[in-house]
Amino acid sequence: METLGLIDLAGFVALLLWGLHMLQHGIMDAYSAGIRGVLRQGLGNRLTAFAAGLGVTTLLQSSTATGLIAAGFTASGALDLVSGLAVMLGANVGTTLIVQVLAFDVSALTPVLVLAGVLLHRFGRSDRQRDLARAMIGLGLMLFALAHMTTLLAHAAHTEGFETLLGLVSADLVLSLLVGAVLAWTMHSSIAVVLLVMSFAQQGLLPLPASFALVLGANLGSAINPLLNMLPRKNPAALRLPVGNLVNRLIGCAIGLPLLGWAARLPGLSAASAHAPANFHLAFNMVLALVFLPLLTTLARILERRLPEVRATDAGAPIYLDPALAALPDQAIAAAAREVMRMADVAETMLVDVAAAFRDGGQTEVDGIRRTDDILDSLNRSVKLYLTALPANGLGDGDRRRCDHVLYASTTLEQVGDIISNNLARRVGKLLKRQQTFSMEAWQDLEPIFHRVIGNVRLTATVFMSGDKRALKRLLDEKLALELLEGKAARIHLDRLRQGSVDGLETSALEIDTLHDLRQINDHLASIALVILRGKDKKTKGAAMKLRLVPAEANDAASVFAAKG
C-alpha cells in the first residue's frame, strides 16, 4: 500500500474512533442518571447484575464507562465485588452487540443519521436533544468510516508491502494477540479493533486464526485502560474490579489461543461466514461469562485477600475524588460535593473547638484548630484540581452550574476556616498570653452567637445538598437574628464601658473583633446557599441583592466564583 493509502486508512480509523466517542458520550450525557438508576436496581444478584451490565453497555457501547459506574458503586459500598464482576462480564458481552449490527452493510443510513443529527442539534431545545443529536452524528460517522475503509482495503488487498506487513502479524498467533491488545489499549476501544479486523478478514487479507487472535488481543487490551485509570488510587481495594476483569480475560486468552485453529472450523466461525471475527468476538465473551459466573465468589475472595482495604491515615486526603470518574462528569461532580460536605463538617468542628477554647481557655484546642485548618486547605486544593481537570466538552449546562457551585462552596468554606484559625484562634492565644478570659457577662453575650453560627453550618450543608428553599428561608431568618444579637451585644458592651467595668475595658477590643468575625463567617455561609439558589425565582434573587451577600454584577455562580478568586 502506498504511503498516501496508509494515511487514508489511518484517517478513516481516526474517524471511526471519533464517531464512536461521539456516540458513547452523547448517550451517556443524555441518559446518565437513568443508566445509573437501571444499573443500581439490577444489582440484586450476579445474574441480574450481568443483565444490567449487558443492557447498559449495549446502550453506551463502552464497557469502560460501565466499569467506572460499577467501580463507583463498589467504592461507596452500594455494590459488592461479586456483583461488580458480574456487571463487567455483562459489559464485555454488551460491547459485542454493536459489532454484530455494524457487520452488515448499513452505510446507506449515513446521510440520514448525520442530517437528522445536525437538524436536532440545530433546533433542539433541551440538552438531552442535543446530546442525542451528537450520538446520531457519531453513529453516522462510524458507518461512513467503515464503508470507506472496506473500499480502501479492497483496492489494497494485493499491494505487496501491505501483504508483507499483515503476513508478519499473522505468522505468529501470540504476536497477533499482542498487536490486538496494543491497538485496543491505544485506541481505548475493542469495538474499533474488531471492526478493523473484520474489514481485513472480509478482503482475505488475514487468515481466520490470526483474525481471531487479534480479537482476543482486543478483548485483553480493553481491560488494561480501566486498570491504569485506577492505579493512582492509594487504596489497593480500588483495583479489585479492574484486576478481576483483567484476570478473567487473561485466562480466557490463555485457554482460547491454542484452540483458534479448531474454532475456525466451527459453523458460524469458518471462512464461509463473512462475519466470522464478529461472531468469534461474541462467542468468546459469552463463553467467558458462562464459565466465570459460577466462580465469581471464589475470585472475589482471592481479590479481597490479595488487595486488602487500606484506610487513608491523612485526614486532609480526599476520600471520594476518584480519578476514574473523569469520564462521567456528573458522578465526578457528585464526588466533589461529598468532599465539600466533609469540609463543612471540619468547619463545624473548628467552630465548636474555638468556642470551647474561649470558654475554657484551652491551648490544646487552639493548636488543634490550626492543624484542622490545614485539612480544609488540603481538601479545597484537591477539590479545585479535581474539578478543573474535568473535560469541558463533556459538561452539560447543568453540570457546569453544579461544578461552579461546588467550587464556590469549597473556596468559601476554606475562607471560613482561615477566619477561625487566623482570627478567632489567634484571639484566644492573646487572651491566654495575657492570662485573661472573657468576663462572665461578655461570654453570655457571645455564646448564643457561637451556637447560631454552628447551627448555620449545618443548615448551609442542607441547602448545598438538597437545594431546599425552606432551609434557605431559615438561613436568612438566622442571619437577621444574628444581626439583632450582634447589635444587642454591642450595645451592652458599650454600656459596660460607660460604667467603667475593668473586665470590659481589658477585653473590649477582642470582644468586638470576635463579634465581627462571627458575623463575617455567617455571611460566608449564607452566600453559599444564595449562590446555589439565586436565579431560581425572583424572591431568592431579591434576597441576595438586598442582603448584599452576592455581588450584583455576578450573573451566575461561575462569575461569583471568579470574583472571589
Side-chain angles (χ1 to χ4, degrees), residues 71 75 226 230 233-243 307-309 322:
M230 300 301 289
R233 296 290 295 271
K234 296 180 180 179
N235 188 355
L239 300 175
R240 290 171 182 169
L241 198 60
V243 167
L307 298 168
E309 184 82 20
D322 188 346

Side-chain angles (χ1 to χ4, degrees), residues 368-389:
I369 288 166
R370 289 167 181 163
R371 289 192 297 271
T372 307
D373 184 47
D374 293 338
I375 296 175
L376 273 183
D377 294 341
S378 178
L379 290 175
N380 177 51
R381 182 166 53 252
S382 297
V383 169
K384 280 185 176 180
L385 292 174
Y386 184 73
L387 290 180
T388 54

Side-chain angles (χ1 to χ4, degrees), residues 70-407:
F73 288 161
T74 303
S76 66
L79 172 64
D80 63 275
L81 184 57
V82 171
S83 295
L85 292 169
V87 167
M88 292 311 303
L89 288 174
N92 297 337
V93 174
T95 59
T96 68
L97 300 184
I98 193 172
V99 176
Q100 289 291 321
V101 173
L102 297 178
F104 297 93
D105 184 9
V106 288
S107 57
L109 295 176
T110 298
V112 176
L113 287 168
V114 173
L115 177 62
V118 169
L119 290 176
L120 185 59
H121 192 276
R122 176 68 179 83
F123 298 105
R125 296 183 177 180
S126 67
D127 288 342
R128 175 171 291 183
Q129 288 175 331
R130 287 188 285 272
D131 292 333
L132 288 174
R134 194 152 37 110
M136 294 169 68
I137 295 172
L139 182 56
L141 292 178
M142 289 180 66
L143 298 179
F144 179 81
L146 282 172
H148 283 75
M149 279 170 52
T150 302
T151 302
L152 182 64
L153 290 173
H155 291 303
H158 304 292
T159 303
E160 183 178 351
F162 195 57
E163 285 185 336
T164 302
L165 177 62
L166 290 180
L168 291 174
V169 173
S170 60
D172 186 339
L173 295 184
V174 175
L175 178 61
S176 299
L177 184 147
L178 293 175
V179 169
V182 170
L183 286 174
W185 170 66
T186 305
M187 295 180 178
H188 288 252
S189 172
S190 62
I191 295 174
V193 175
V194 175
L195 291 173
L196 183 63
V197 170
M198 188 173 62
S199 298
F200 286 155
Q202 287 176 344
Q203 300 303 323
L205 299 175
L206 283 174
L208 279 183
S211 299
F212 294 168
L214 284 164
V215 171
L216 286 179
N219 280 274
L220 182 62
S222 64
I224 295 174
N225 281 311
L227 178 60
L228 295 179
N229 286 337
M230 300 301 289
L231 282 178
R233 296 290 295 271
K234 296 180 180 179
N235 188 355
L239 300 175
R240 290 171 182 169
L241 198 60
V243 167
N245 185 44
L246 180 62
V247 165
N248 71 51
R249 294 202 183 197
L250 277 170
I251 294 173
C253 289
I255 296 174
L257 194 63
L259 303 176
L260 294 183
W262 168 78
R265 296 191 295 272
L266 294 176
L269 300 180
S270 65
S273 173
H275 305 154
N279 294 340
F280 178 77
H281 184 41
L282 174 61
F284 173 73
N285 283 285
M286 285 297 298
V287 170
L288 272 188
L290 290 173
V291 170
F292 275 96
L293 272 174
L295 304 176
L296 291 183
T297 301
T298 301
L299 178 58
R301 288 173 182 166
I302 295 172
L303 291 169
E304 288 168 353
R305 188 162 56 248
R306 296 295 182 182
L307 298 168
E309 184 82 20
V310 175
R311 296 293 180 183
T313 56
D314 181 7
I319 297 175
Y320 306 108
L321 303 183
D322 188 346
L325 294 178
L328 305 168
D330 56 338
Q331 282 199 37
I333 295 169
R338 294 178 73 183
E339 291 292 350
V340 171
M341 291 296 291
R342 281 186 67 204
M343 294 178 67
D345 291 339
V346 173
E348 180 182 342
T349 300
M350 292 177 70
L351 277 170
V352 171
D353 288 346
V354 81
F358 271 119
R359 183 185 65 243
D360 304 327
Q363 182 62 46
T364 303
E365 287 89 348
V366 174
D367 296 337
I369 288 166
R370 289 167 181 163
R371 289 192 297 271
T372 307
D373 184 47
D374 293 338
I375 296 175
L376 273 183
D377 294 341
S378 178
L379 290 175
N380 177 51
R381 182 166 53 252
S382 297
V383 169
K384 280 185 176 180
L385 292 174
Y386 184 73
L387 290 180
T388 54
L390 294 179
N393 59 355
L395 298 176
D397 292 340
D399 291 334
R400 289 190 182 92
R401 283 193 296 272
R402 184 56 175 164
C403 186
D404 290 334
H405 295 162
V406 174
L407 285 169

Side-chain angles (χ1 to χ4, degrees), residues 457-474:
V457 176
R458 301 166 190 156
L459 204 55
T460 301
T462 300
V463 177
F464 175 73
M465 291 305 294
S466 68
D468 188 349
K469 293 181 181 179
R470 290 175 299 179
L472 172 63
K473 184 178 183 302
R474 287 180 55 199

